[in-house]
Amino acid sequence: MLKTVRKYMRLYGIFIKNCLIAQMEFRGNFIMSILVESVYLLAKMLYVLVVFRTDLHVEGIPPEGLLLFIGMHTVATGIYVGLFFTNFMKIPEYIKDGSLDILLTKPVSLQFMASLRYVDLALPIPDILVGFVMIVIGWHAMAIPLSFLQLIGFALLLLVSVVITYCVMIIPALLSFLFVQTGSVSEIAHAVWDANNFPMAIYPSWVRRIGTFVIPLFLITNFGPMFLLGQINWLHVGYAMAGSAMLFAAVRLLWKHAVKSYASASS
Amino acid sequence: MNRRRLYSAVFSMGVQHSMEYRLHFFLGLLGASFPILVQYFIWTAVYRHSGQSALFSYSYSQIILYTILAGLVSKLIATQFEHQIADDIKNGGLNKYLIKPVSYFGYRLVTFLGQKAIYYGMTAVLLVVIIWIASIRGVLDPQMTRLILFAMTLWGALILNFLIAYCICASAFYLHEISYFFVISSLLVNILSGGMFPLEIFGELVVKALQFTPFPYTIYFPVNILSGKMEAAAMYQGLLWQCGWIGLFFWLSRLTWRVAMKKYSAVGG
């Protein structure tokens, strides 16, 4: 088991190195990627503008405190576009043109190859930088103690957030095994992703329930800040970790099931 | 084949292309409703907390109406042909249009209108429902002049957005890797057009400055004509500005393409 984990970690390191070399070959593209994500970030910052210009308080949390949520969302977006986005967009292409065949022949997990092969190192830079700056501002403004336990809890919930992001955002790619053309499902998924920009408290209770228990999207950006603000405790952190592990297992089963319906499209 | 038959065939091709994957088409429509829903909840929270009857000069009902209409209009006028044009320029697909008795500009415009025809029909139905509900609730006063001007400026917005995008496409003659440029420009155009938020959130000075640019005349202007936020004089003045921008961008699109075509080397094909 440990040997397999080490093998996959080494392989993932090679993927990152390979992607970095490829991206450094066209430096102009690397800079343009940063620029593109910066413009998307600028669009997201309009929400911050609205929050501060209207002095929005959500359940007593002032605009500076809301930066914890918006910052967490920005960091999660950076992780998503850096680690998963390119891969998830490529999966329908692999299915459409039959290039999944060649991945099937590799002596590693097909899901690992198809969903983690590409890492974009440019796209996440603006998101992660600005996101963490917002978190630091919010952390400081809400006078949250900078203790080891707070940091550990927050880091664990960030990890939960990465796992859930993977599980939720891969669903349109899984659907492409059935429908091939799933661009609009991805579009919906990205529109829903933006719902996480704010604390889930702004949504009615039925939306919160769906976003927590059916498609656990709100867990991605809400649990970290809620833990820092003392709204949830270590028990909830444990639940979130167990829940994300179960969700990953369910997605693994779904993937296996979906691959069974794959019929090669190449010649 | 005479021109009328030629372009009606191109138009019908555009319609068929938009309906190629029907589930994809209808899910696309559904996708447009999610950003509207998210903004609805955000604005509801903002107004509930502030306790004020108007923010950025919009009442709660007006801002919700703006959000819904801006979402619909921005989806309606969205262009998706930039990559196809860039591909035609890069890989020599443009060659076949140069040797045939068809104008590339006309071909793209008619295909674009064809692709938008079904969306336009569905948006029209949705708009009738929205206007009806809004007028029952007293948010909107459906005056005939406003409805006619809205319909006119909506067509104007569609053409103006096409022309802006077509002008931007001419840069594909000079830049090799263009997809990033399209992403940035379309997002910026959408923000400056009021597609995400009403322009008033940027402050009065920015709104005034933006009125001298073509962007507000694609989303912000038609939506505010319908919502009744714009006074009669400003509506007609805006209509003139929109026509002026369409004329200018029509001329610019011809000019940029004529100049850029001299650089075209017609490889591949």
Side-chain angles (χ1 to χ4, degrees):
Chain A
M1 174 76 180
L2 202 70
K3 208 176 151 191
T4 316
V5 171
R6 210 178 298 147
K7 174 188 154 189
Y8 277 91
M9 278 178 76
R10 205 161 61 90
L11 195 57
Y12 197 57
I14 294 169
F15 286 169
I16 295 173
K17 197 175 150 193
N18 181 275
C19 290
L20 181 68
I21 293 168
Q23 281 191 285
M24 282 299 124
E25 203 178 348
F26 300 101
R27 277 174 219 181
N29 276 5
F30 189 85
I31 292 162
M32 281 305 279
S33 289
I34 295 179
L35 203 65
V36 167
E37 200 51 33
S38 302
V39 176
Y40 272 111
L41 187 62
L42 183 82
K44 286 212 173 94
M45 294 304 277
L46 291 182
Y47 287 95
V48 179
L49 185 74
V50 170
V51 165
F52 276 88
R53 288 206 66 186
T54 57
D55 189 32
L56 175 66
H57 283 56
V58 178
E59 289 193 336
I61 305 168
E64 293 81 7
L66 293 180
L67 282 181
L68 281 172
F69 291 86
I70 304 175
M72 181 82 175
H73 173 73
T74 313
V75 170
T77 305
I79 292 170
Y80 167 61
V81 294
L83 303 183
F84 310 133
F85 177 74
T86 316
N87 298 294
F88 295 173
M89 289 295 124
K90 276 181 183 281
I91 292 173
E93 283 174 39
Y94 295 151
I95 295 163
K96 209 172 177 179
D97 62 19
S99 51
L100 198 72
D101 295 8
I102 195 80
L103 298 181
L104 274 164
T105 61
K106 307 266 180 191
V108 280
S109 153
L110 177 67
Q111 187 180 348
F112 178 76
M113 274 299 284
S115 64
L116 295 172
R117 169 65 186 85
Y118 295 99
V119 177
D120 196 308
L121 294 148
L123 286 175
I125 292 174
D127 286 317
I128 290 186
L129 272 178
V130 176
F132 274 117
V133 167
M134 284 197 269
I135 291 172
V136 169
I137 294 172
W139 198 309
H140 181 71
M142 298 305 286
I144 299 160
L146 190 67
S147 68
F148 179 70
L149 277 179
Q150 295 278 35
L151 281 170
I152 287 288
F154 187 72
L156 283 176
L157 287 167
L158 193 61
L159 183 71
V160 166
S161 161
V162 176
V163 176
I164 297 175
T165 300
Y166 176 89
C167 295
V168 172
M169 299 309 276
I170 204 174
I171 290 171
L174 286 177
L175 287 175
S176 65
F177 278 97
L178 281 176
F179 304 111
V180 184
Q181 176 76 285
T182 51
S184 47
V185 185
S186 307
E187 218 173 280
I188 293 176
H190 291 140
V192 174
W193 175 264
D194 282 338
N196 250 332
N197 217 347
F198 279 83
M200 60 178 171
I202 68 161
Y203 298 104
S205 56
W206 63 272
V207 177
R208 269 182 271 171
R209 264 180 229 131
I210 293 174
T212 309
F213 300 109
V214 183
I215 308 165
L217 200 78
F218 289 142
L219 264 62
I220 297 172
T221 56
N222 276 267
F223 268 33
M226 282 167 83
F227 175 76
L228 293 180
L229 293 166
Q231 292 175 348
I232 57 168
N233 55 34
W234 280 98
L235 190 68
H236 294 102
V237 178
Y239 280 146
M241 289 182 70
S244 62
M246 277 162 65
L247 187 66
F248 183 76
V251 165
R252 179 83 188 120
L253 281 176
L254 260 173
W255 173 275
K256 282 184 174 168
H257 184 74
V259 171
K260 275 184 194 161
S261 65
Y262 171 68
S264 170
S266 67
S267 55
Chain B
M1 193 186 273
N2 65 34
R3 279 191 178 270
R4 224 181 99 201
R5 278 182 61 199
L6 172 76
Y7 285 114
S8 68
V10 172
F11 182 84
S12 121
M13 217 166 67
V15 175
Q16 285 171 33
H17 183 71
S18 72
M19 295 300 286
E20 205 176 355
Y21 291 98
R22 270 165 231 185
L23 183 69
H24 179 71
F25 176 84
F26 289 110
L27 284 177
L29 278 181
L30 185 71
S33 64
F34 279 94
I36 296 173
L37 268 175
V38 171
Q39 285 216 16
Y40 164 78
F41 288 121
I42 293 171
W43 284 119
T44 306
V46 166
Y47 277 78
R48 193 181 295 147
H49 168 261
S50 78
Q52 290 180 36
S53 58
L55 287 168
F56 307 115
S57 81
Y58 288 80
S59 69
Y60 172 67
S61 322
Q62 278 176 331
I63 206 117
I64 297 298
L65 187 66
Y66 183 94
T67 303
I68 296 170
L69 293 176
L72 275 178
V73 173
S74 68
K75 184 84 185 165
L76 179 70
I77 64 167
T79 54
Q80 285 145 348
F81 54 73
E82 292 94 332
H83 297 281
Q84 291 163 2
I85 295 184
D87 197 51
D88 279 347
I89 295 168
K90 198 176 169 186
N91 300 324
L94 203 62
N95 300 356
K96 59 177 178 281
Y97 301 98
L98 300 179
I99 54 164
K100 283 177 188 170
V102 56
S103 136
Y104 189 66
F105 175 84
Y107 167 77
R108 280 289 165 204
L109 178 65
V110 175
T111 312
F112 174 67
L113 293 176
Q115 281 179 351
K116 290 290 167 188
I118 307 267
Y119 267 120
Y120 214 94
M122 289 200 170
T123 311
V125 175
L126 278 174
L127 281 172
V128 169
V129 176
I130 291 164
I131 293 168
W132 181 62
I133 295 172
S135 63
I136 286 176
R137 293 188 164 213
V139 185
L140 192 83
D141 178 21
Q143 297 167 9
M144 194 46 86
T145 334
R146 283 189 185 277
L147 292 176
I148 294 169
L149 274 174
F150 172 69
M152 280 168 70
T153 50
L154 202 57
W155 276 106
L158 196 72
I159 304 289
L160 181 58
N161 210 42
F162 169 85
L163 290 170
I164 293 173
Y166 193 76
C167 281
I168 293 171
C169 282
S171 53
F173 285 101
Y174 297 93
L175 304 170
H176 291 292
E177 187 45 71
I178 190 95
S179 54
Y180 293 120
F181 187 63
F182 291 146
V183 173
I184 293 175
S185 62
S186 66
L187 192 59
L188 282 178
V189 166
N190 190 262
I191 293 171
L192 297 175
S193 306
M196 271 186 75
F197 288 107
L199 297 176
E200 280 82 357
I201 68 152
F202 298 114
E204 207 180 317
L205 204 69
V206 179
V207 178
K208 274 189 182 157
L210 279 174
Q211 273 167 1
F212 297 103
T213 68
F215 310 117
Y217 301 98
T218 55
I219 300 173
Y220 175 81
F221 176 63
V223 166
N224 275 342
I225 284 187
L226 183 65
S227 68
K229 269 205 96 246
M230 206 164 270
E231 287 172 13
M235 283 195 310
Y236 294 109
Q237 202 184 351
L239 187 66
L240 280 176
W241 271 100
Q242 194 190 46
C243 291
W245 281 117
I246 290 174
L248 182 72
F249 269 91
F250 180 72
W251 174 76
L252 257 179
S253 64
R254 310 300 280 176
L255 181 76
T256 47
W257 270 71
R258 208 176 300 136
V259 172
M261 278 294 269
K262 286 181 185 155
K263 204 182 148 45
Y264 184 61
S265 52
V267 289

